[in-house]
Amino acid sequence: MSTEQATYPHGHHRSVVSSHARRTVHDSAAFLAPHIKPTDHILDVGCGPGSITMGFADLAPEGRVVGVDAVASVLEQARALAGDRKNVEFAIVDANALPYPDATFDVVYCHQVLQHVQDPVGILREMRRVAKPGAGVVAAREADYRAFAWHPTSAGLDRWGELYQAQALVSGGEPNAGRFLHTWARRAGFEAENLETTVTSWCYTGERAKQWGNMWADRAVQSGFAKVVKDKGLGSEADLQAISRAWADWATEDDLFFSVPSTEILYRVPTASANPT
């Protein structure tokens, strides 16, 4: 059985998980939502604290939604969020070897997952394998960190961008996954005629931008990002403290702007299609 070899560099500090818990179907899967039917059986790969998963459950009240993640602690938060909802369940799963039979799900989705894994093509193959031929949809959304843009400019934030790239790569991932997502899908056997590729962006201004800046001021010194930077000799504690101050200072500025572009793929699994090996 395949197991994940890359390390998730963000870790699961509260500053990370609380940011993930703000994500919704509206801001993270709007391109997929119109394709979800009320009776669909949906798999949310790398579901984290479950906020997107719960949005899927609302869209498929007569179906079933399964959220899977490799980390038990975030699944505890997801289960708490779900409460007594009957059409949602969560499980600890390594996406490299999904424990489901072929053709199980109507919709298979992952959000900001493939940038953190060693074999994104293999995981896309697994996602395709468990989707139903003729009716199934496989979708993914991945950011491109090198395409991030912000105002006002800041040498400290530039340094953050450099260290983010370095720590993601040394952890075994690809921080600019968005620009590779379409190619990964084609390598996984997704036929071009059944594959749609789009780009959308989170755009933060005003209070939301301040929240983003203060969140990264915290993450720069307390999350897994900081641990990887120091453990791998990419930067010092002084570097991280300076980056944290730069984020905090940035968050006090007027007319803030921060954009996070992500590439999206939506693949309709054809009826007569053998899963690639």
Side-chain angles (χ1 to χ4, degrees):
M1 177 180 293
S2 300
T3 57
E4 185 53 59
Q5 300 301 309
T7 301
Y8 180 54
H10 291 291
H12 294 88
H13 185 263
R14 59 171 176 76
S15 59
V16 177
V17 178
S18 63
S19 176
H20 293 174
R22 293 191 182 100
R23 297 172 179 173
T24 66
V25 166
H26 175 73
D27 67 24
S28 299
F31 74 107
L32 173 60
H35 303 276
I36 295 176
K37 301 181 294 297
T39 57
D40 276 348
H41 193 186
I42 302 171
L43 179 65
D44 185 7
V45 177
C47 66
S51 55
I52 298 173
T53 319
M54 294 306 299
F56 289 149
D58 291 338
L59 293 173
E62 303 166 46
R64 187 150 195 86
V65 183
V66 180
V68 298
D69 202 283
V71 179
S73 60
V74 294
L75 289 181
E76 290 176 6
Q77 292 183 239
R79 292 188 181 101
L81 180 64
D84 59 359
R85 287 289 295 266
K86 303 301 184 186
N87 68 329
V88 183
E89 63 182 273
F90 296 95
I92 299 175
V93 166
D94 186 328
N96 292 275
L98 296 171
Y100 304 107
D102 294 359
T104 297
F105 297 95
D106 299 290
V107 177
V108 184
Y109 184 58
C110 72
H111 184 261
Q112 313 298 359
V113 171
L114 300 176
Q115 63 189 271
H116 300 300
V117 303
Q118 187 174 75
D119 185 12
V121 174
I123 289 177
L124 285 167
R125 286 197 189 105
E126 275 290 274
M127 292 171 65
R128 173 180 167 148
R129 178 184 65 79
V130 300
K132 295 177 180 178
V137 171
V138 179
R141 187 170 188 267
E142 292 292 329
D144 186 327
Y145 272 75
R146 200 172 292 283
F148 285 15
W150 55 83
H151 174 80
T153 57
S154 162
L157 269 61
D158 289 345
R159 177 60 173 154
W160 164 79
E162 293 170 0
L163 284 181
Y164 189 93
Q165 294 283 326
Q167 59 87 43
L169 291 168
V170 79
S171 296
E174 173 48 72
N176 309 307
R179 67 186 64 187
F180 301 110
L181 184 55
H182 178 270
T183 300
W184 290 341
R186 296 286 290 118
R187 287 172 55 196
F190 293 24
E191 303 88 352
E193 61 269 24
N194 299 314
L195 181 64
E196 296 179 10
T197 304
T198 54
V199 176
T200 60
S201 181
W202 292 329
C203 182
Y204 302 144
T205 59
E207 186 59 32
R208 186 65 185 92
K210 292 180 184 295
Q211 292 173 357
W212 178 262
N214 288 322
M215 177 269 294
W216 263 108
D218 197 6
R219 285 172 70 167
V221 291
Q222 298 196 59
S223 71
F225 166 86
K227 182 176 182 348
V228 174
V229 166
K230 290 187 291 187
D231 288 353
K232 298 298 183 179
L234 303 173
S236 66
E237 178 65 27
D239 289 326
L240 294 169
Q241 291 291 341
I243 289 170
S244 178
R245 288 192 299 272
W247 272 113
D249 291 345
W250 183 83
T252 67
E253 297 281 354
D254 295 327
D255 298 324
L256 293 172
F257 170 87
F258 201 98
S259 70
V260 180
S262 289
T263 301
E264 305 155 339
I265 57 167
L266 190 144
Y267 174 71
R268 295 174 177 84
V269 185
T271 300
S273 177
N275 285 310
T277 57

